[in-house]
Amino acid sequence: MGSAGTFERVDAAAEVIRRHCGDVPKAALVLGSGLGDFADTLAGAVTMPYAELPHWPASKVVGHAGRLVIGTVAGKRVAALAGRVHAYEGHPLSTVAFAARVMGRLGVKEIVLTNAAGGVNTGFTRGALMIIDDHINLLGANPLAGENDDRFGPRFPDMTEVYSKRLRRIADEAAVAKGLAVTHGVYAGLLGPSYETPAEIRYLRTIGADAVGMSTVPEAIAARHMGLEVLGLSCITNMAAGVPLEPFNHDDVLETTRRVRGTFIALLEGIVERL
Ligand code: HPA
């Protein structure tokens, strides 16, 4: 899908949200696999199931609840997106980036993209939290491909600092204040849905990746295109294929996110407090 009509669809969704949400949230948080619980911690919340938002793509992945919750945490108004769509579900990347685009048109200035990821860096352990310093797009596509709509942003947007230095510093400060260990690294975004082979993981390590996952990159690119400040956080739910020799599956991913849920929510609260 090119951009023709996308802008109008994005604005139609933003308009419905604006009518229901009261004050426009300052920041948006996209909650990855098993991390949607943060949405339940918002005070005075308005919940909008994705199904009720015009043109909003629906996700069918287990662990992705599918709702937008706007409310207050740490004294700040935020939009929490519990559930997202992925390219491996068969969506074009412009569809995958739709929610991030709506947040931008709603007036959000900062977007926090969270995900479950496999640990490629052998120094990582299961359950670690990683602040994304940069990404490698290995999806084989780009959400900005097709006709450019200048109302979103320029044809050839700069990607020197996709993940805002300022927001990464805030995340570090929040972690210190809450006594939480965080690490930093490069996230490689792959199409999926099959997990990687051990040879692919060795390749990813060689090219400089520390973690691997199937989301975040399209949203980050579209958000930067629109001039939003982006922060990316990965929960290392498993060590990637071949690091330990045992196989793993999506249940292992969800089990880890359940285990680190409290820590993850504390970190997000600390971040929002400092925005
Ligand atoms: N690979 C890709 N995506 C993932 C992984 C993984 O090991 N774990 C969670 N999401």
Side-chain angles (χ1 to χ4, degrees):
M1 185 175 34
S3 286
T6 301
F7 189 87
E8 286 69 24
R9 284 194 293 275
V10 163
D11 262 12
E15 187 47 40
V16 169
I17 295 167
R18 204 173 285 119
R19 276 209 303 273
H20 286 89
C21 79
D23 288 345
V24 168
K26 174 174 168 50
L29 302 100
V30 179
L31 306 169
S33 290
L35 302 169
D37 285 359
F38 179 78
D40 303 323
T41 70
L42 304 191
V46 179
T47 298
M48 287 162 262
Y50 289 164
E52 291 173 15
L53 297 172
H55 314 294
W56 201 283
S59 173
K60 298 186 173 55
V61 186
V62 179
H64 288 257
R67 66 201 198 283
L68 167 65
V69 183
I70 297 181
T72 304
V73 65
K76 304 252 162 55
R77 231 170 142 64
V78 298
L81 293 104
R84 54 150 65 97
V85 294
H86 303 82
Y88 63 71
E89 295 173 77
H91 300 288
L93 294 193
S94 53
T95 302
V96 175
F98 184 84
R101 291 233 184 265
V102 173
M103 290 300 109
R105 290 296 300 163
L106 186 61
V108 159
K109 302 288 180 234
E110 293 140 348
I111 189 162
V112 183
L113 304 170
T114 73
N115 59 59
V120 172
N121 184 323
T122 52
F124 287 1
T125 48
R126 196 171 163 186
L129 299 179
M130 185 186 91
I131 296 168
I132 301 179
D133 286 331
D134 203 350
H135 73 221
I136 302 175
N137 178 10
L138 295 174
L139 283 148
N142 190 297
L144 310 186
E147 200 184 321
N148 188 60
D149 193 323
D150 296 336
R151 292 172 293 180
F152 282 132
R155 170 75 293 188
F156 299 111
D158 176 55
M159 292 285 145
T160 306
E161 190 184 314
V162 178
Y163 302 89
S164 153
K165 275 203 187 95
R166 186 182 77 88
L167 295 185
R168 282 184 272 150
R169 189 175 329 114
I170 282 177
D172 278 323
E173 286 165 5
V176 169
K178 301 262 180 187
L180 304 172
V182 291
T183 182
H184 283 251
V186 172
Y187 175 93
L190 274 65
L191 174 62
S194 52
Y195 287 118
E196 303 71 33
T197 64
E200 286 165 342
I201 295 304
R202 286 194 299 276
Y203 158 74
L204 292 176
R205 196 173 298 124
T206 305
I207 64 169
D210 297 292
V212 58
M214 305 170 194
S215 69
T216 301
V217 167
E219 295 139 308
I221 292 172
R224 278 311 292 147
H225 185 225
M226 297 176 77
L228 273 70
E229 252 190 302
V230 178
L231 177 66
L233 296 175
S234 293
C235 171
I236 306 299
T237 52
N238 56 279
M239 287 311 290
V243 182
L245 283 168
E246 320 82 70
F248 63 92
N249 59 38
H250 188 56
D251 290 337
D252 298 328
V253 168
L254 294 181
E255 190 209 301
T256 307
T257 56
R258 267 194 295 278
R259 187 158 58 76
V260 303
R261 180 165 69 192
T263 312
F264 193 79
I265 288 175
L267 179 62
L268 283 181
E269 279 172 0
I271 290 167
V272 169
E273 210 177 296
R274 287 167 176 76
L275 287 178

